[in-house]
Amino acid sequence: MGIPAFRSRPGHCRVPAVTDWFDEHAPRHVRSLDVYQPGKPIEELERELGISGAIKVASNENPLGPSPVALQALPAALSQLHLYPDAGGFALRRAIGARLGLDITRIALGNGSNDLLYQLVLATCEPTDEVLTHQYAFLSYRLAAQVAGRPFVAAPTTPELACDIDALIAAITPRTRLVVLGTPNNPTGSVITKAGAAKVLAALPARALLVIDEAYAEYAAAWPEVDHVDGLALMKDDRRVLVLRTFSKIYGLAGIRIGFAAGDKAVLDVLGRVGRTFHVSSLAQTAAIAALEDNLHVAASAAHARRQLERMQVEIAGPGVKVYPSLANFLLIDYGRPSPPIYDALLRRGVIVRPMAAWGLPNAIRVSVCKDSELERVIETINDVLAS
Ligand SMILES: Cc1ncc(COP(=O)(O)O)c(C=O)c1O
């Protein structure tokens, strides 16, 4: 395999000094944090560029909108906003448990699934414990480790940028505490196979956990012919597996912030100790309980994403262009040349994509699915810019 796993060092990624105080007194691991660059709101970009009618395909949101069943449930919750939310999230955990066939002690709620990931690092890792993933994994895995000041390790991937199971296993050390794998992974869209996950578990030290981030699992379900691991099934057989799920993607509730972890009761118990009280709002809990019943929205969104990805995979083309296979609601496109000018040209034409330089992919952009009425324009604009 040859390429060693990346290991973070304090200060490996310097952020410009903010103040003298910051330089002198802020903890070293905080000074060296990578800064997450969120995409700008569409209105802000339109104002900056003096354009209108822009299409944002940059954040893997659901272009079909929020679950209509969730929207119907929200007004009734408004009259209760003077009350603190249910800190134990009992009704929602019961609803999730009933849906997944799990006792509620095996479910924990978070302010989005990212929140749970950060909690997990704090709750499980001693200062020298390592968080391991692969080189092109979701950026939050690295950030969660860095925020907690824990060593972060990224194993090399396959040439297709997917998780190389053997390289990942080779990067496991006695200090490995969390192995975090997204499936489908953001930004590559690649999945972990059933055999791959089993191999990782077989190599996992007894003290470590395998965290399977299934933010896009409901989209992957629309591809039954492709072998990919079912984290929840794996979790039922092995106490060391923890699954993260979110309502941000297929349920269309990214703005209300709600996700959950499913895992062993003892692991969730420690997770609960570092979480803040009342961090999952009552509106989020109400919306999620309702959304869980919205089979129609889930099915329509998954089918819509698959249809669009299949079309984009065929129609986005050009010399040197590579479109990676994806089972999520976005595609990674490599141009074989630096993507910033391509990103800028797309922006000026009102198509907002995600540049991938921060992921270490300077030649790539990520494009999310869009409304059907927008697809033609997105494909045409991308191809025009590629040809120019
Ligand atoms: C792989 C992956 N995991 C987790 C998340 C975070 O989701 P949430 O909104 O639940 O924090 C995202 C969001 O883009 C994601 O792509």
Side-chain angles (χ1 to χ4, degrees):
M1 129 195 21
I3 310 168
F6 163 84
R7 292 192 133 71
S8 66
R9 303 179 306 280
H12 85 274
C13 182
R14 285 282 299 149
V15 176
V18 177
T19 63
D20 290 346
W21 180 90
F22 182 79
D23 253 1
E24 281 174 31
H25 304 298
R28 207 150 67 128
H29 77 275
V30 174
R31 272 182 280 145
S32 68
L33 286 180
D34 292 331
V35 179
Y36 180 75
Q37 299 285 358
K40 286 189 185 171
I42 202 162
E43 298 77 14
E44 187 59 34
L45 279 167
E46 286 185 339
R47 218 180 357 260
E48 266 179 29
L49 298 167
I51 57 171
S52 61
I55 301 173
K56 186 178 175 210
V57 279
S59 300
N60 305 342
E61 293 148 340
N62 187 341
L64 303 191
S67 148
V69 178
L71 289 186
Q72 273 167 19
L74 282 171
L78 295 179
S79 65
Q80 301 301 308
L81 284 183
H82 60 299
L83 302 177
Y84 279 104
D86 169 8
F90 285 101
L92 175 56
R93 284 163 64 221
R94 218 174 293 123
I96 295 169
R99 188 113 199 141
L100 305 181
L102 287 173
D103 189 79
I104 67 164
T105 56
R106 304 198 64 186
I107 295 152
L109 304 181
N111 189 253
S113 57
N114 241 339
D115 177 42
L116 288 159
L117 183 72
Y118 278 62
Q119 280 182 31
L120 190 64
V121 176
L122 281 177
T124 62
C125 294
E126 302 279 357
T128 54
D129 283 345
E130 294 173 349
V131 176
L132 169 65
T133 184
H134 62 79
Q135 202 182 347
Y136 298 115
F138 185 44
L139 277 189
S140 283
Y141 309 158
R142 172 190 297 219
L143 290 175
Q146 288 178 326
V147 164
R150 303 302 189 246
F152 171 81
V153 183
T157 61
T158 67
E160 286 293 294
L161 312 186
C163 179
D164 179 333
I165 297 292
D166 291 329
L168 185 86
I169 289 172
I172 291 177
T173 73
R175 290 186 305 281
T176 304
R177 176 72 84 172
L178 295 177
V179 178
V180 191
L181 296 175
T183 178
N185 175 56
N186 176 11
T188 58
S190 57
V191 289
I192 306 292
T193 63
K194 291 189 182 77
K199 206 168 166 184
V200 174
L201 266 182
L204 203 66
R207 69 192 292 279
L209 293 175
L210 173 59
V211 182
I212 302 191
D213 179 357
E214 293 194 331
Y216 303 95
E218 302 88 349
Y219 288 105
W223 303 77
E225 75 279 20
V226 180
D227 170 26
H228 55 274
V229 68
D230 173 349
L232 289 169
L234 204 63
M235 183 211 88
K236 286 176 184 164
D237 289 342
D238 196 312
R239 296 185 63 188
R240 299 169 303 161
V241 177
L242 186 123
V243 175
L244 295 176
R245 290 267 182 118
T246 183
F247 287 88
S248 297
K249 303 298 173 183
I250 210 151
Y251 293 103
L253 296 175
I256 214 159
R257 310 304 301 133
I258 177 89
F260 68 92
D264 187 69
K265 178 180 176 311
V267 175
L268 298 189
D269 191 44
V270 276
L271 194 65
R273 294 175 198 216
V274 299
R276 288 155 298 133
T277 324
F278 304 126
H279 68 313
V280 180
S281 77
S282 49
L283 293 183
Q285 295 187 37
T286 299
I289 292 169
L292 275 177
E293 299 298 319
D294 201 342
N295 297 331
L296 266 180
H297 194 62
V298 170
S301 304
H304 167 268
R306 178 168 178 161
R307 256 193 333 270
Q308 286 214 352
L309 291 191
E310 284 178 332
R311 192 164 153 204
M312 286 199 265
Q313 257 150 357
V314 172
E315 294 186 20
I316 295 177
V321 173
K322 180 168 172 65
V323 182
Y324 288 85
S326 167
L327 266 57
N329 66 349
F330 55 83
L331 279 181
L332 183 72
I333 305 171
D334 191 300
Y335 291 117
R337 58 192 154 103
S339 69
I342 294 166
Y343 166 77
D344 286 340
L346 287 170
L347 203 56
R348 281 194 300 277
R349 295 183 55 170
V351 175
I352 307 162
V353 301
R354 189 79 157 171
M356 288 284 109
W359 265 262
L361 295 165
N363 293 349
I365 59 165
R366 192 191 63 203
V367 181
S368 312
V369 295
C370 54
K371 294 190 179 82
D372 279 336
S373 58
E374 299 168 335
L375 186 61
E376 198 73 35
R377 185 172 143 211
V378 169
I379 294 175
E380 235 176 68
T381 312
I382 290 177
N383 281 339
D384 277 2
V385 166
L386 275 181
S388 60

